Structures are given as C-alpha cells and as structure tokens.
Amino acid sequence: MTLNVTVTRRRALALAAAASVVPWHRAVAQPAGLPIEQPKFLYGFPAGSSGDIACRRVAERIGGTAYAKNAAVVENRPGAGGRIALDGLRSSPADGSVLAMSPYSATSIYPHVYRKLSYDPVADFVPVSIAAVMHHGLAVGPMVPASVTDVKGFVAWAKANPDKANYGSPAAGSTPHFLGALLGLSQNVDLKHVPYRGSVPGITDVVGGQIAAMFTPAGDFLANHRAGKLRLLATSGRARLPFASDVATFGEQGLGELTTEEWFGFYAPARTPAAVVTAANAAIQTALRDKGLVDGLAVVGLLAQGSTPDEMARSQRAEFERWGPLVKRIGFTADS
C-alpha cells in the first residue's frame, strides 16, 4: 500500500525511529532458513557508478557464509533517485533473499522533499549495515575556462555568465543537488540545476561541454579528473580524499556548510527475522574487511566502512534531523 508521508508524520517518524528501527535485535525470532541459496541485491542507479561497484564487490564476497551459499546477484533498478529500488525492496519477501543498497539521501532526505513516497523509510525497512562512505565533489568541464581551478573562481565565472551557470546532479532531491543549491544560496549566485539519472550521464555531458559543472560522488570524477578531461574543484569531506589529495575540501575553501560524508547502506524488508539480519550483517562485515574490496573501492573514491544495524539506524535518524532545516531553507519540494 502506498504511504502518504506528511510533514507532521515525518517528524513523528524521526522521533519513533528509536522504537521502530534501532531495536532490530529484539525482533521476534523466526526460523531463518539460512543460508540463502543466492540473494539478490537491488541498486537504484545505473551500472558503472561508484555505488554500483561497491554493491557488486560486496555481492561477490558474501557466498560461503552463514547468510548465503552463493554470491549475490546485483539488479540495477535506476530512476527516481533510487526510489524505484527501495519500492522494490518494500514489496520483497521478508526473508533476507532480497536486500537493497541505498545512499542515505533516499531514507533521510527524501521524506523532507516528497509529500508522497511509495515507501515509509522507517516502517518498511530494517537497516543491515553501512557499506561505504563517499565524499561528494564539484567538477567543471570545458565549458568553464581552464583558469577556473577552485570554487571561488567557479562562482565568479557563474556570476559573469548567468546564461551558462548550471550544474548537474545524479537526481533531483539528492545530496549533490542540495550541495549545489547551498553553494548558490551562500554565494548569492543563481545556479540552475540539471537532474540526471545517475552520475555517469551527467559526467558525460560535463566532459562533452553540454553543461558547466556537476555535483556527484567524487569517486565518479576521478578517472576523468586524472585524464584532464574535467577539473575537480572541491570535495565535501571533513578531510581531503586520500585518492584526490591535490583537491581542497569545501571547508578549506571557506564553505564549511557543504561538508558532508554520505554513506551507502544495505536494507532488508521490514519484519525480516533478527537471525537473518544478524547473518547478513556478519557476511557484509567480513566482505568489507577483504583487502581486495577495500582497494577496489579506493579506486572509485569510496571508503569501505561497515556498521551494526543500530549504528546505521542512528546515523539515518541524525541525517534526517540535520537535513530537514536545510531542505526547508533551500525551498525545494518534489512539486517545485
């Protein structure tokens, strides 16, 4: 059944998260049916992006565990900023056979953006584990003069060229979208937003000179940045990315409000037995300690990082509370 998530209810959901999400370990024990023959992992963005690579690296390594006999199959369901995949998870069997990997924006930010969601971020899902942390970045392509090498220079160029002052993001209502909006508000410059279905098509247009700039996970820029096809002007982490140590953070450039580190996390359907969640978490944690996985994620700018289900639930709630006032300040809704 489609759920109508009103502003009042969203506040109630945040307050109720401790009761309805965090205590996963107190769920009623049920026969787990473990190990699962071959789980399916849903991912709501196109293949080839850094998040897709993270999902596949974990999927490859969970076979032969108490959770799964074989490696998981990854199914991309791109569109609607990741909401299609989560809607698919909502209607999946609550037995651990289907998990979804999602950025926190889909569960912590979207409730502030969409008056109607096809899923309830708290009631429909159980957190399993954080998988990787990403820093977002701002990059420009050949539409912007080569003399622009930092955010201050980009802002000055945008003010002087209002007809070209635009930026892409992987989805309307996503964290990168709002980072661009916050930059425009803080610097009093009108940056027009161009939403895409994931990072890859937007970056292609930046490199091709169809749009000026893009905000998206910094790892998705690295190959083109190193090849000189675009310029990565800033990253959003508290410290510089070890894979792009030549690029200053937004904070270093006087834009501390844009500091954010977003995670990808695995979710199971609500009512999934506690034993299954425990087994899936353990399998994911083991995968994330694999040196090959850690090194593989580093290539695409991701930091492998696991968590308990409780830690993931607390972080989801904290980000929900943080982004509420920011979304209100930006003034964006799905109807705007």
Side-chain angles (χ1 to χ4, degrees):
M1 179 178 66
T2 300
L3 298 174
N4 293 333
V5 183
T6 64
V7 173
T8 300
R9 187 161 182 232
R10 290 197 297 267
R11 292 172 181 165
L13 288 175
L15 294 173
S20 59
V21 178
V22 176
W24 63 276
H25 48 77
R26 292 197 290 273
V28 177
Q30 300 178 35
L34 297 173
I36 294 165
E37 186 70 30
Q38 187 171 44
K40 179 188 294 184
F41 289 172
L42 306 179
Y43 183 61
F45 296 89
S49 63
S50 58
D52 174 72
I53 290 170
C55 190
R56 292 177 186 278
R57 294 293 182 268
V58 174
E60 292 166 357
R61 289 167 171 80
I62 59 135
T65 66
Y67 166 60
K69 293 180 182 179
N70 299 293
V73 174
V74 175
E75 182 177 313
N76 296 88
R77 294 190 183 180
R83 302 195 308 280
I84 293 174
L86 287 179
D87 190 46
L89 181 68
R90 182 184 64 84
S91 58
S92 294
D95 58 5
S97 61
V98 182
L99 303 182
M101 196 187 83
S102 172
Y104 74 52
S105 54
T107 53
S108 295
I109 299 180
Y110 289 175
H112 300 293
V113 173
Y114 296 94
R115 294 178 180 175
K116 292 184 179 181
L117 282 174
S118 59
Y119 57 84
D120 183 317
V122 173
D124 286 341
F125 308 125
V126 177
V128 177
S129 177
I130 292 173
V133 173
M134 57 182 162
H135 297 183
H136 296 293
L138 166 63
V140 297
M143 183 182 290
V144 180
S147 57
V148 174
T149 58
D150 57 18
V151 180
K152 181 180 179 180
F154 173 66
V155 169
W157 174 85
K159 288 181 177 179
N161 298 272
D163 58 323
K164 300 178 181 178
N166 54 34
Y167 72 97
S169 83
S174 65
T175 307
H177 170 196
F178 290 145
L179 290 178
L182 288 173
L183 175 63
L185 287 172
S186 66
Q187 301 302 301
N188 193 30
V189 56
D190 183 17
L191 298 175
K192 298 174 182 64
H193 176 236
V194 183
Y196 285 87
R197 288 168 58 92
S199 297
V200 175
I203 292 174
T204 299
D205 280 357
V206 173
V207 171
Q210 275 73 53
I211 61 171
M214 182 141 183
F215 277 86
T216 208
D220 291 338
F221 290 129
L222 291 182
N224 285 299
H225 172 64
R226 291 164 180 161
K229 295 181 179 180
L230 53 70
R231 281 156 283 145
L232 186 54
L233 303 184
T235 56
S236 70
R238 290 182 288 273
R240 294 191 184 194
L241 265 178
F243 337 110
S245 58
D246 57 321
V247 180
T249 66
F250 286 108
E252 288 179 288
Q253 299 184 54
L255 295 159
E257 187 178 35
L258 275 65
T259 298
T260 191
E261 298 177 0
E262 186 167 8
W263 46 255
F264 289 109
F266 283 96
Y267 290 91
R271 298 175 299 281
T272 298
V276 175
V277 175
T278 298
N281 177 273
I284 292 168
Q285 299 309 305
T286 299
L288 293 173
R289 289 192 291 270
D290 182 273
K291 186 178 185 302
L293 182 147
V294 173
D295 292 345
L297 296 193
V299 171
V300 293
L302 294 178
L303 304 167
Q305 179 179 307
S307 74
T308 67
D310 286 353
E311 289 167 342
M312 181 174 165
R314 288 195 296 270
S315 180
Q316 176 181 323
R317 185 172 63 252
E319 294 298 340
F320 175 92
E321 293 169 351
R322 176 199 174 197
W323 280 98
L326 292 176
V327 172
K328 184 175 181 180
R329 178 182 161 199
I330 291 166
F332 176 82
T333 69
D335 302 319
S336 60

